[in-house]
Amino acid sequence: MLIKIKRGWELPDSAATPESVFMNRRTLLKGLATGPLLAAGAAMPFAGGLGSALADEEQEDPSAHLYPVEQNPAYTLDRPLTPEDIATTYNNYYEFGSYKEIWQEAQALKIRPWTVEFDGMVEEPMTVAIDDLLAKMPLEERLYRHRCVEAWSIAVPYSGFPLKALVDFARPLGDAKYLVMQTFEDDDVAQGQRQFWYPWPYIEGLTMAEATNELAFIATGYYGKPIPKQNGAPLRLAVPWKYGFKHIKGIVRFSFTDERPVSFWEELAGNEYGFWANVNPDVPHPRWSQANERFYGPDGQERLPTQLYNGYAEQVASLYEGIENELIFM
Ligand code: MTE
C-alpha cells in the first residue's frame, strides 16, 4: 500500500519522513554502499492477507483473553476513530524498514517469551515476564489522538495502563529524574537493525514528571485486541501530546537515571527531533510547517488544523512552565 498525497499543505512523506534524515546522513557516509538495502525494502511486494496475519497473532498471544477492557470516559475524542485497517497497515517502525508498509515484516517478531527489565536508579532491579506484568497492571481503554512529526495523524483506541502504575511498580529512587525506554534488539527478525548507520537500539526518554502525568500510557492493546506487532506489541508508549516518534514500540527495558538520555532520533538529527517534541502548530519543523495535519478518518484523508500539545494542553502545559533555554516544541 503506497499512499500518495498531494503537494501544498500536504507534505510529501518522502520529504517529511525521518528517512530524509537518513538520506542527509548518507551523503556524509561517503563510499558506503547503503542504497540497495533501502531500495530492496521499498520494492517489497504487499503479499498475503492482513486478516490471516492478525488471526495468527491472536493465536500466538496468550494475553488475548484480557481484551476488550472497559473504556475510561475521561479520554474521548473530538473526531471519529481511524479505521483499524489503516492504523495497522500504515506505520513507522524502522526496525522493520524505513517505509510505511512494514506490517508484514513485523510479523516475524516473537512476542513470547518476552521479558521486561527494570534497572538503574531503582530500589531493586527486576526482570519480569510480560504476562506477569500484565496481570499486575490496571487495564483500561482510552481513545487518543496521535500526531506524527511527519504531519499525518490518526485517532485510535489503546488498551493498556497508565505509565504511572508501571513507575510505581518499578520503585525508582527519589532522585531519579528521567525514565529511559528501550526497544528489543534482534537483527535476525528486524532487518532494519542491520542498517548500521542508525544508532540502535531505539531509545526514548521522559522526565519523571512527564512519565507520571495522567496522560502517559503504556499500550498493550489496540481496537479491543492485543496490540499488533507493527504497532508495538507487547508494550508501546503513548504520550499523545508529543510527536509520534516518542511513542517507542516493542519495549524491553525501563531504566531510571538522573542524566537526560539522548534518544534515537535526537542522536540522528537533534535539531529536527529533540528530547521534548511537544506538538505546537506555530513551531515549524526546520523543513516543513506543523500548522496542519493529514488526518486519516473513516471518509479518507482530511486536512485539520493542528492543536497546541495536540489538544491536551489542559493536562500537560503546566509540565513545561518555567523551563528556559530549551526547545520544548522541537
Ligand atoms: N518505535 C520504534 N521502536 N521504532 C520506530 O521506528 N517509530 C515512531 C514510533 N515508535 C518507531 C517507534 C514513529 S516516527 C511513529 S509516528 C510511531 O511509532 C508510529 O506508530 P504507529 O505505526 O503505531 O502509528
Side-chain angles (χ1 to χ4, degrees):
M1 181 175 69
L2 195 63
I3 297 179
K4 296 263 187 230
I5 52 171
K6 296 184 216 93
R7 289 196 177 263
W9 81 272
E10 289 178 328
L11 183 74
D13 280 0
S14 58
T17 175
E19 185 178 330
S20 52
V21 172
F22 153 69
M23 295 307 283
N24 291 342
R25 190 176 164 81
R26 189 171 62 159
T27 57
L28 300 175
L29 295 170
K30 286 191 190 124
L32 296 177
T34 56
L37 275 175
L38 265 191
M44 213 79 81
F46 189 69
L50 175 61
S52 62
L54 294 180
D56 287 351
E57 182 183 341
E58 276 170 36
Q59 276 175 8
E60 183 191 315
D61 190 331
S63 72
H65 68 281
L66 296 175
Y67 308 97
V69 292
E70 205 170 316
Q71 192 179 108
N72 184 335
Y75 305 100
T76 53
L77 294 168
D78 60 346
R79 56 191 72 180
L81 283 178
T82 298
E84 181 179 356
D85 62 340
I86 293 178
T88 56
T89 58
Y90 181 79
N91 301 108
N92 277 337
Y93 206 161
Y94 275 62
E95 284 81 346
F96 295 101
S98 53
Y99 47 100
K100 293 288 180 286
E101 301 76 27
I102 53 72
W103 68 266
Q104 203 178 23
E105 282 71 36
Q107 304 316 311
L109 182 64
K110 291 278 165 255
I111 53 170
R112 293 297 185 287
W114 189 281
T115 52
V116 186
E117 283 185 54
F118 297 89
D119 61 11
M121 298 174 71
V122 288
E123 284 180 24
E124 202 176 333
M126 290 185 280
T127 303
V128 183
I130 182 70
D131 294 301
D132 295 340
L133 181 66
L134 290 178
K136 291 184 168 67
M137 292 293 121
L139 296 182
E140 61 180 58
E141 183 178 73
R142 296 184 179 191
L143 309 186
Y144 272 0
R145 293 185 290 275
H146 175 89
R147 171 61 158 80
C148 181
V149 73
E150 298 164 347
W152 55 265
S153 69
I154 52 180
V156 295
Y158 289 117
S159 309
F161 49 85
L163 180 54
K164 181 173 187 313
L166 185 121
V167 170
D168 291 345
F169 171 77
R171 289 183 288 133
L173 301 179
D175 43 1
K177 294 192 172 68
Y178 300 94
L179 170 60
V180 186
M181 290 147 279
Q182 183 188 314
T183 296
F184 74 89
E185 272 189 290
D186 182 351
D187 67 8
D188 284 340
V189 295
Q191 301 207 354
Q193 290 184 335
R194 295 185 188 171
Q195 297 178 326
F196 59 87
W197 50 92
Y198 289 116
W200 309 112
Y202 200 103
I203 67 159
E204 260 307 339
L206 297 171
T207 65
M208 290 301 291
E210 291 176 326
T212 54
N213 181 273
E214 58 153 313
L215 272 184
F217 198 65
I218 292 288
T220 60
Y222 214 41
Y223 292 86
K225 289 170 278 193
I227 192 164
K229 295 172 181 178
Q230 62 271 31
N231 296 100
L235 292 180
R236 173 249 174 85
L237 179 68
V239 278
W241 70 100
K242 293 180 178 286
Y243 289 117
F245 64 88
K246 298 289 292 186
H247 297 57
I248 181 170
K249 298 177 172 182
I251 303 173
V252 292
R253 188 173 187 182
F254 294 88
S255 305
F256 295 85
T257 168
D258 55 5
E259 271 180 47
R260 185 157 119 185
V262 178
S263 55
F264 179 85
W265 286 110
E266 191 181 6
E267 188 165 338
L268 277 167
N271 60 330
E272 302 195 3
Y273 311 104
F275 172 78
W276 299 100
N278 296 310
V279 175
N280 187 335
D282 298 327
V283 178
H285 181 276
R287 291 182 285 122
W288 60 84
S289 164
Q290 295 290 23
N292 295 293
E293 61 202 56
R294 190 176 77 252
F295 174 64
Y296 284 83
D299 303 321
Q301 299 174 36
E302 192 184 345
R303 175 184 171 169
L304 294 177
T306 289
Q307 302 173 57
L308 181 62
Y309 294 109
N310 199 24
Y312 296 101
E314 196 183 318
Q315 291 93 334
V316 298
S318 63
L319 292 173
Y320 307 101
E321 280 165 12
I323 297 183
E324 283 168 18
N325 305 321
E326 293 269 358
L327 299 171
I328 60 168
F329 298 111
M330 188 63 70

